[in-house]
Amino acid sequence: MQDKPRLLHVLIGTTLGAGFCPVAPGTAGAVVGVAVWAVLQWQLTATTLMATMAVLTLLFTLLGAWSATHLERYWGPDPSRVVMDETVGVWLPLVIVGPGQWWQAVAALALFRFFDIVKPLGVRRMEQLPAGIGVMADDVLAGIYSLIIIAAWQLMLTRGIC
């Protein structure tokens, strides 16, 4: 066994080092997630952006669980440095946020962090799942709740309700 974690797992788990932020590493991981969306939204059409965000979310949910499981052996259970779960969590509502919809991106970040911190409606229970799955699952559920609110908001806007 190695005496320190593999670099690949550190890079994935910490979202390229955002997890080493000394203040609010979870927020740092989520902000990196929004930054990825921000770069992509300048380059891609709305449909391609949606597909790309969906693929990134799925891929990095799997990679995040794999890396978190590895990193827990070195850093203990659900280490605060592992923030790929926050990155993936904020990507979920961003899947439906189109290019140039900055207010929706900010709302997605705020909603996700709210659900991630408060952990209502079963979010906390997801942490009880084993190893890296539990690390990722609570943030995935927080992201799903955020996605539902952003989708409802978009629907109300298109119907002229607000």
Side-chain angles (χ1 to χ4, degrees):
M1 181 177 222
Q2 297 174 307
D3 59 347
K4 61 183 181 178
R6 292 185 180 159
L7 179 60
L8 177 63
H9 291 295
V10 172
L11 291 173
I12 292 169
T14 66
T15 308
L16 300 176
F20 292 111
C21 184
V23 178
T27 299
V31 167
V32 170
V34 174
V36 169
W37 172 88
V39 169
L40 292 174
Q41 65 92 33
W42 287 107
Q43 305 297 318
L44 305 174
T45 66
T47 303
T48 307
L49 177 62
M50 181 183 288
T52 300
M53 294 307 298
V55 168
L56 287 174
T57 301
L58 178 60
L59 176 64
F60 280 95
T61 297
L62 298 172
L63 289 173
W66 176 58
S67 289
T69 298
H70 175 81
L71 292 170
E72 280 189 333
R73 293 183 218 144
Y74 299 91
W75 296 344
D78 200 357
S80 62
R81 288 178 277 195
V82 173
V83 296
M84 181 52 70
D85 49 335
E86 277 84 6
T87 305
V88 164
V90 80
W91 279 346
L92 276 160
L94 290 174
V95 165
I96 62 169
V97 176
Q101 298 299 317
W102 289 97
W103 62 271
Q104 289 184 24
V106 171
L109 175 63
L111 286 165
F112 167 71
R113 288 304 291 154
F114 169 78
F115 287 118
D116 184 32
I117 292 165
V118 175
K119 299 191 184 303
L121 305 169
V123 173
R124 185 167 310 282
R125 291 189 68 200
M126 295 292 105
E127 294 176 320
Q128 296 170 4
L129 293 170
I133 294 169
V135 171
M136 299 299 291
D138 68 311
D139 294 282
V140 167
L141 186 55
I144 289 169
Y145 290 151
S146 305
L147 170 70
I148 290 167
I149 291 173
I150 295 292
W153 194 355
Q154 289 176 345
L155 183 64
M156 287 189 292
L157 286 172
T158 60
R159 304 263 169 129
I161 297 171
C162 63

